[in-house]
Amino acid sequence: MTLTLAIPTHNDTGYLRRLLAQAHGLGVFDRVVLVDDASDAPVTRDEVCPPDAWPGEQLTILRQEECGGPGVARNRALEHVETDHVLFFDADDLLTPDLAALARVLRGRDFDFCLFRHADSRRTHWGGQGQMPLDEAHWRRAGVQVGELSVIGPAQAAALAETANYPWNKIYRTAFLRDHGIRCSETLVHEDVELHWMSFRHGHDILVSDRVGAVHFISPGGQRLTNRRGEERLAAFGPMNRLAAALAEGAPGRLADAYLHFVSGLFDWMRGNIAPDLLARLDAAVRDFLLAHVDEARFARLSRTDPVLARRIVFQMERGRA
Amino acid sequence: MKENIAIGPDAQINHTLAVLRDGVTEGHMGNEVQLLPGVMLHADPALQVGGRYASPEGRLLEMDVTAGAEGGWLALHLSLAGRDYSDYGFVGLACRIAAPEPITVQPCLRSGTKKGFVDCFYDKHVLAMPEEASHLDALSIHNRPNVPLQAPWRELILFMPTHSFRWSLLDLRIFVV
């Protein structure tokens, strides 16, 4: 297995230096593709790369003159991946030695992608460790909380698809992404929802590992894109609608219902993370989404299989009408 | 890690655990399984123990154990060096564990005596649950009548359930300080 570390970056020099040094030390990455998403000062090799690490073509730095967000940057990075596997990663997060061990375990195995566990800085602040409780609950529901490597089936995939839609907790087979045209949405926020769900939609050989491969850092008050509260939140409805249609192709199945469950929760999260003057437009967009993707027959089925979700859908539709 | 250059009563066992952690091995469970010199799994033959164990890279031990009948014990035995603990205050362990179904493991310091051995159980059980957890405990050496200061041999023993179970011992470090 050859592996590329693909990193979108925007004014992240300090974090990048830390990450590239760490990645070099782990010894499992063959290449790094760095996409500088219009940083104020262009990223240079000397600035972020430790001496003697990633010589020559092992490190590719691409620059975008206009800031398009991490989705655009990841898509561009993917175009330049020459190894058979790729790990998207965020500049301000950290890898772990367990990730290197996992990469070695995966050598010689056939898989579309391998999902691994991570540690979230919010858990550390509370005095614990590991993923957020809701993610842990999904892992528990899938029965994969323990075990170095598990092959999962459709029911487990539907459970795990509902975890936070991070792009950096999966080692992908490059050809899997390319063959199915799986990419990030080119929106400033929620850009990873499409990549995440389409991976589960098309994945046949999905592996799951309980190894903690990444440490994810959250800064609630920071200036990072994830903390934005403006119009960019509403732009995410384009990809989310497209995705709902793709997942429900034929007849809505387990994964399409899991997606509905996920976005219904996401809609409520968005209400708490958007400027107050945009709330009415958000509620209307949610109502339009639900009207487009939940017809009478589907609603009747959901009322039987997931009455809590059905009730929440009714509430969200009523809120959008107000 | 190939060579042990550390000294002290906990040096050899931590070196052995590091070798186990860095390597890759797997096999069938049995009444006596030697993972490395000084690291043994012992099961009561009455248990009719079956299943598998594995030591993946970077981890100590994953066990998938089946018990065919009732029995008295199943335990991981770790040989400790250092016969004289007079100059030390604590024997402790720190570990990371997980299990799909909650289980408890009971650590114990076993010290050899002229008549056989004496066990001193740690106050806390190691609770393993689906979500990975850390456990830390230490025995105070000087106020435990069942921890003799001098002993011809010692073992740290982790007593596991005597029914079927799965358990991941992700990491384990011993300290005598």
Side-chain angles (χ1 to χ4, degrees):
Chain A
M1 183 173 84
T2 52
L3 184 60
T4 289
L5 186 64
I7 312 164
T9 178
H10 176 80
N11 291 338
D12 277 323
T13 307
Y15 289 132
L16 268 178
R17 200 179 301 126
R18 176 180 77 168
L19 178 60
L20 290 187
Q22 190 203 22
H24 184 256
L26 291 180
V28 290
F29 297 102
D30 301 277
R31 299 281 177 92
V32 175
V33 177
L34 197 61
V35 179
D36 174 10
D37 191 23
S39 295
D40 295 339
V43 174
T44 63
R45 172 185 287 270
D46 290 345
E47 206 176 18
V48 296
C49 193
D52 305 324
W54 313 113
E57 61 182 13
Q58 286 186 15
L59 172 63
T60 302
I61 300 179
L62 307 166
R63 173 154 173 95
Q64 310 203 139
E65 293 304 330
E66 284 187 26
C67 183
V72 174
R74 283 190 201 104
N75 290 343
R76 188 158 177 220
L78 180 59
E79 289 167 9
H80 288 79
V81 170
E82 293 178 357
T83 55
D84 46 45
H85 289 80
V86 59
L87 171 65
F88 297 112
F89 213 72
D90 286 357
D92 58 333
D93 289 344
L94 281 173
L95 302 156
T96 70
D98 243 9
L99 189 278
L102 175 62
R104 285 190 282 271
V105 167
L106 291 173
R107 282 178 188 157
R109 293 198 65 129
D110 289 327
F111 62 97
D112 292 327
F113 67 92
C114 177
L115 173 73
F116 54 84
R117 283 163 73 106
H118 66 274
D120 190 299
S121 64
R122 288 167 289 185
R123 287 291 305 275
T124 313
H125 290 313
W126 301 339
Q129 59 181 10
Q131 305 180 132
M132 294 297 278
L134 191 57
D135 279 350
E136 286 295 340
H138 293 309
W139 278 67
R140 189 160 50 244
R141 195 153 60 92
V144 292
Q145 275 187 303
V146 178
E148 189 194 25
L149 215 52
S150 310
V151 180
I152 61 165
Q156 292 167 302
L160 289 168
E162 287 200 57
T163 54
N165 292 184
Y166 296 128
W168 40 256
N169 57 359
K170 305 169 193 79
I171 294 177
Y172 282 107
R173 184 165 60 83
T174 312
F176 165 69
L177 295 176
R178 289 182 177 150
D179 290 350
H180 295 284
I182 300 172
R183 296 160 62 85
C184 289
S185 308
E186 303 209 333
T187 51
L188 283 177
V189 292
H190 305 301
E191 80 289 344
D192 32 24
V193 175
E194 208 166 5
L195 171 73
H196 176 89
W197 284 88
M198 290 307 274
S199 301
F200 280 99
R201 162 79 175 80
H202 291 290
H204 290 294
D205 301 311
I206 305 174
L207 299 177
V208 176
S209 174
D210 70 348
R211 286 188 185 264
V212 176
V215 183
H216 177 49
F217 292 90
I218 294 276
S219 339
Q223 295 301 307
R224 304 193 77 80
L225 284 171
T226 190
N227 296 318
R228 293 226 184 154
R229 302 168 66 86
E231 296 256 356
E232 52 272 52
R233 291 257 170 250
L234 299 174
F237 276 87
M240 286 198 293
N241 273 297
R242 191 165 63 229
L243 190 50
L247 293 173
E249 236 168 57
R254 235 182 318 228
L255 193 61
D257 285 353
Y259 177 67
L260 197 57
H261 196 270
F262 169 79
V263 289
S264 175
L266 180 63
F267 294 153
D268 284 348
W269 181 88
M270 288 167 93
R271 289 194 101 249
N273 290 275
I274 198 166
D277 60 321
L278 294 174
L279 269 179
R281 284 175 60 195
L282 172 64
D283 289 342
V286 169
R287 178 182 162 80
D288 290 346
F289 177 96
L290 294 170
L291 283 171
H293 302 292
V294 186
D295 60 17
E296 253 181 64
R298 191 175 186 192
F299 184 80
R301 184 169 54 78
L302 284 174
S303 301
R304 290 191 303 275
T305 59
D306 193 345
V308 174
L309 173 61
R311 185 70 197 92
R312 194 160 63 186
I313 287 172
V314 169
F315 177 72
Q316 289 177 329
M317 288 181 72
E318 283 174 351
R319 194 163 54 191
R321 195 167 48 186
Chain B
M1 184 181 291
K2 300 294 181 198
E3 305 297 335
N4 174 35
I5 56 170
I7 55 172
D10 52 13
Q12 186 56 42
I13 186 60
N14 281 322
H15 170 71
T16 304
L17 291 173
V19 171
L20 186 61
R21 199 165 41 238
D22 291 347
V24 177
T25 183
E26 61 180 321
H28 293 281
M29 283 295 300
N31 295 339
E32 288 198 353
V33 177
Q34 179 174 282
L35 300 169
L36 280 175
V39 181
M40 292 279 292
L41 285 163
H42 287 286
D44 181 354
L47 261 183
Q48 298 174 23
V49 76
R52 294 187 64 77
Y53 70 89
S55 177
E57 183 188 332
R59 293 187 165 185
L60 274 183
L61 200 53
E62 292 186 346
M63 299 177 66
D64 187 349
V65 175
T66 57
E70 290 189 4
W73 71 87
L74 169 62
L76 176 66
H77 292 243
L78 307 163
S79 293
L80 300 181
R83 296 177 175 188
D84 189 349
Y85 278 4
S86 306
D87 293 335
Y88 298 94
F90 294 92
V91 186
L93 74 155
C95 59
R96 290 166 48 216
I97 60 274
E101 302 293 333
I103 63 163
T104 57
V105 169
Q106 205 170 1
C108 166
L109 179 66
R110 177 168 289 179
S111 304
T113 62
K114 284 181 182 170
K115 292 180 180 174
F117 60 82
V118 59
D119 282 344
C120 181
F121 283 87
Y122 282 73
D123 296 333
K124 292 188 283 187
H125 288 63
V126 179
L127 173 62
M129 298 200 293
E131 193 171 350
E132 181 190 319
S134 299
H135 177 95
L136 175 67
D137 199 359
L139 279 179
S140 172
I141 290 170
H142 292 277
N143 57 9
R144 301 270 181 168
N146 44 0
V147 180
L149 293 180
Q150 282 85 32
W153 55 268
R154 296 184 201 267
E155 284 182 335
L156 184 79
I157 305 175
L158 301 179
F159 283 100
M160 291 175 269
T162 50
H163 54 71
S164 301
F165 68 94
R166 282 179 63 201
W167 186 47
S168 288
L169 178 59
L170 302 169
D171 199 0
L172 172 66
R173 317 272 171 149
I174 313 291
F175 53 91
V176 183
V177 289

